[in-house]
Amino acid sequence: MGKIAKVIFVPILCCLIAGCTDMRILEDQGMIQAISYDMATKDKGSDIALIKVTAAIPLIQKDNLQKIIESTATSSKDARIEFSSQTDLELVNGQLRTVLFGKNIAKQGVINHFDTILRDPTIGLRSNIIIVNGNAAKMLAENYQEQEPTYEFLDRLIEKQVDENIIPDIDIFQFMRDVKDDGIDPVAPQFIQRKNHIDTDGVALFRGERYVTKIDASKGTLFSILNKKMINNGQLNFDWPASQQGDAEFAALDINNSRRHINVYSSPGSNQFTVDISIKVKGSITEYIGTKNLDNKKYRDGLGEKMAESLEKQTQELVIFTQKHSVDSIGIGKYVRNSISYNEWKNLDWRKVYPAIQVHCSAEVEIRDYGLIH
Amino acid sequence: MNEKLHSFHLAILIYLIQTGVTLFVLPAELAQNFGTNGWVAVIIGAALVYINIFLIGAVYRLGRGKSFFAIIEDGMPPMLSYTLYLLLTVLWSLIGCITAKQYIMVYQIITFQHTPGSLLKLGYDVLIYTLVIKGIYNIAKASTFIFSITVFLALLFFYFITDIELARYTPFLFKDGDGLLIGIFKTYIAFLGFELSILFFPYINKESKFFTSLIIGNLITTVVYVYTCLIIFGVFGYEYLKELIFPLLDFLSIIRLPIIERLENLLYALFALKVLITSVMFYWAATESAKRIFRNKSDKTLSFILIAFSYFISLIPDSLEQVRNWLDFLTRWEIGVTLFLPVICIILILLRSKGRKHADGKNC
């Protein structure tokens, strides 16, 4: 055999031989795209809480684009065993894109259900996690778009909402990292099933691994500004009702970029912390409804200041909301931890201290342009 | 024998012998043993390795390039030197073998779960054999090629620059770890492989810049380890790292490029080449050692016997944990060897030169 023939022949042979074992025939694979977890109704007289697990796999049929298999069991592992008896396909997890948790089950804690997901090397850590306000299985089973299965629609919806910073970009990896980090509490996007569509419900806030409450979708971008060091997209709406100072006004700001800084001041030896969160937002005005003429520099400057003032108030409210529920979803704990010694941090019960700390939000708004009209 | 190892090849070879599957577990071990900012410990490990490299450099200089085997045979009784060779042959061939086995077993976690590991290992051993018999120069050339196709991996890590959060590093050094001593021990193990350079003396000349190449080779390893661990600590946070077994696998799995994702499957396969050099070099060293005992046997026959013999031994440990225990045991011995060989060589050289001086003095 010539040298060139060897060079070509051997690699081709290697590639082909690799397919002779551990064969996976595409037509025989049931590629789970989304999986959901809900609390199931208890059997009468039984104390064991059951969970309902459903999985969506693609189907190529005219009237149905996805096949839903469901199972009720005591654990997610049991449920998976039952799955395989319901289909002639070999169920594989490599294509899993979204993991849905019903709100009820999320309240009990989600880590146990992650065990299978984290252990399975075929599942990518980039799979999205979402919380469903209601029944996750029901939401997944319904069809909303004619030519698109729900799991795919959901995947695209999440991607778009994340791009616009309405919901946080949370995958298994980020969620687990925040669960393990003692300076932050995890968050997840929350969705709700409406009559004919799926709607963004807001941002689910967790205390450790347990769901506690949510921030409304209208405040999603505001949360992103506080939660992330920097964002480059999103929209903020400002609404000023009519008052003695002036008429009602409305302005929409398209964010070009927003930066957040957190500074911690502490008095040594005490659990008294003062946290300054400063936010700098730069954006373009995309809508203004009001009586002021933006031709006038004085009014233009005034609008920026009013926006900053309103932003300060809204972010302050959001922080107070998290303090009230004792969830450090913004990750202030990480900054406090880094401002004190290791022993001080370990002796500090951050969960108890967080609601009582002083947080002060300050904001600056820079308006890059006002669009094409005054 | 005219061909000598070039200093560039030598440095790359040292780096490739040192790195392998260890890189996949190292960040997690650092987090478990050192806790916060465990990545700094890599520098401590590297510093210890440098002390060892100085010892090997000293052997080269004091012995004026005399081969390791010649130094031993000149100063030790034959029985003792044969026993040492036997021990080294068994140890090195087992390390080469179990390292490959560990790679195969981790590979089976991600692909070929149901294919018998023994079959995969057999295929891998054929590859090892074909490279070992080519000799040190060709192994060095192959490693330069392998280096050029694996080094781009480091560029991929730039993907994570935005995921790194400084606050996640914490300002604390080595807090919340399980044990500093065991940590340093394990970090040192991650650098093992450089000690084989003590066998390179007959294959180098002045232009090989032996000592500088060793230092550069170990420096490349240190930079790659520090860089990888630094990024992984910043992305995962030490608390999450503690829970993982193969953080680098998870790390690669979260890279999502526009046309491709789940890169870990592809990239782990690339590591086969890195591990190949590690295994091949240990087998090469074992063959060199065995050659001194069985002088009438050819290199090819000896390599074949060693690979075949160790292949059957590698069938004994059949779980990843067992393989890890075996490797733990073998690397403990290897650390001993790493320290013992240069020290004994230096002693033998010094004793001999003292003896010579003494004899010269008498003659005068």
Side-chain angles (χ1 to χ4, degrees), chain A residues 185-240:
Chain A
D185 279 318
V187 294
Q190 183 164 316
F191 290 88
I192 187 166
Q193 183 184 14
R194 304 270 187 227
K195 210 173 176 191
N196 300 316
H197 68 283
I198 296 175
D199 201 359
T200 312
D201 198 31
V203 182
L205 308 183
F206 285 74
R207 190 181 301 139
E209 55 148 340
R210 286 168 200 266
Y211 175 92
V212 174
T213 182
K214 65 142 192 172
I215 290 172
D216 195 65
S218 61
K219 289 180 182 150
T221 312
L222 213 58
F223 178 75
S224 294
I225 289 177
L226 275 173
N227 182 245
K228 290 185 188 171
K229 261 194 145 170
M230 196 175 83
I231 63 169
N232 294 316
N233 200 1
Q235 184 170 318
L236 284 174
N237 293 340
F238 297 91
D239 209 348
W240 296 280

Side-chain angles (χ1 to χ4, degrees), chain A residues 207-368:
Chain A
R207 190 181 301 139
E209 55 148 340
R210 286 168 200 266
Y211 175 92
V212 174
T213 182
K214 65 142 192 172
I215 290 172
D216 195 65
S218 61
K219 289 180 182 150
T221 312
L222 213 58
F223 178 75
S224 294
I225 289 177
L226 275 173
N227 182 245
K228 290 185 188 171
K229 261 194 145 170
M230 196 175 83
I231 63 169
N232 294 316
N233 200 1
Q235 184 170 318
L236 284 174
N237 293 340
F238 297 91
D239 209 348
W240 296 280
S243 67
Q244 281 182 339
Q245 280 88 30
D247 298 325
E249 277 177 290
F250 172 83
L253 183 79
D254 187 31
I255 300 170
N256 301 129
N257 71 63
S258 157
R259 282 164 199 281
R260 178 218 68 187
H261 287 282
I262 296 181
N263 287 318
V264 178
Y265 305 96
S266 58
S267 43
S270 75
N271 288 344
Q272 304 277 312
F273 298 98
T274 310
V275 178
D276 271 357
I277 303 179
S278 61
I279 298 154
K280 269 186 192 168
V281 181
K282 191 176 172 186
S284 314
I285 297 283
T286 50
E287 193 172 350
Y288 173 75
I289 302 166
T291 48
K292 306 256 168 55
N293 186 355
L294 294 183
D295 199 7
N296 188 326
K297 188 176 180 307
K298 193 180 105 192
Y299 288 134
R300 283 206 304 268
D301 292 346
L303 185 64
E305 276 165 28
K306 265 172 90 169
M307 280 177 162
E309 214 173 276
S310 166
L311 200 58
E312 273 171 18
K313 196 174 152 231
Q314 288 184 66
T315 45
Q316 191 79 51
E317 279 170 5
L318 211 56
V319 174
I320 291 170
F321 179 77
T322 61
Q323 285 184 299
K324 201 177 109 194
H325 288 92
S326 187
V327 286
D328 182 12
S329 315
I330 299 159
I332 294 174
K334 285 194 278 191
Y335 293 86
V336 170
R337 177 179 67 197
N338 293 354
S339 74
I340 56 179
S341 74
Y342 179 76
N343 287 336
E344 277 178 294
W345 172 253
K346 281 289 155 187
N347 292 329
L348 189 77
D349 188 352
W350 178 238
R351 179 82 57 216
K352 278 189 184 147
V353 172
Y354 178 62
I357 62 166
Q358 290 280 322
V359 182
H360 177 250
C361 297
S362 62
E364 249 177 70
V365 174
E366 189 187 332
I367 298 168
R368 193 181 68 172

Side-chain angles (χ1 to χ4, degrees), chain B residues 308-345:
Chain B
F309 174 71
S310 56
Y311 171 76
F312 288 110
I313 293 185
S314 80
L315 299 178
I316 303 171
D318 61 352
S319 74
L320 200 54
E321 201 189 334
Q322 279 176 8
V323 168
R324 205 176 249 201
N325 290 342
W326 274 56
L327 259 185
D328 262 1
F329 175 76
L330 292 171
T331 43
R332 253 162 233 227
W333 275 88
E334 183 64 7
I335 286 184
V337 164
T338 308
L339 284 166
F340 171 75
L341 292 189
V343 170
I344 197 78
C345 281

Side-chain angles (χ1 to χ4, degrees), chain A residues 112-129:
Chain A
N112 274 342
H113 310 297
F114 271 128
D115 189 78
T116 332
I117 294 172
L118 291 170
R119 235 172 252 285
D120 187 344
T122 62
I123 297 179
L125 292 175
R126 280 287 191 212
S127 307
N128 291 310
I129 292 179

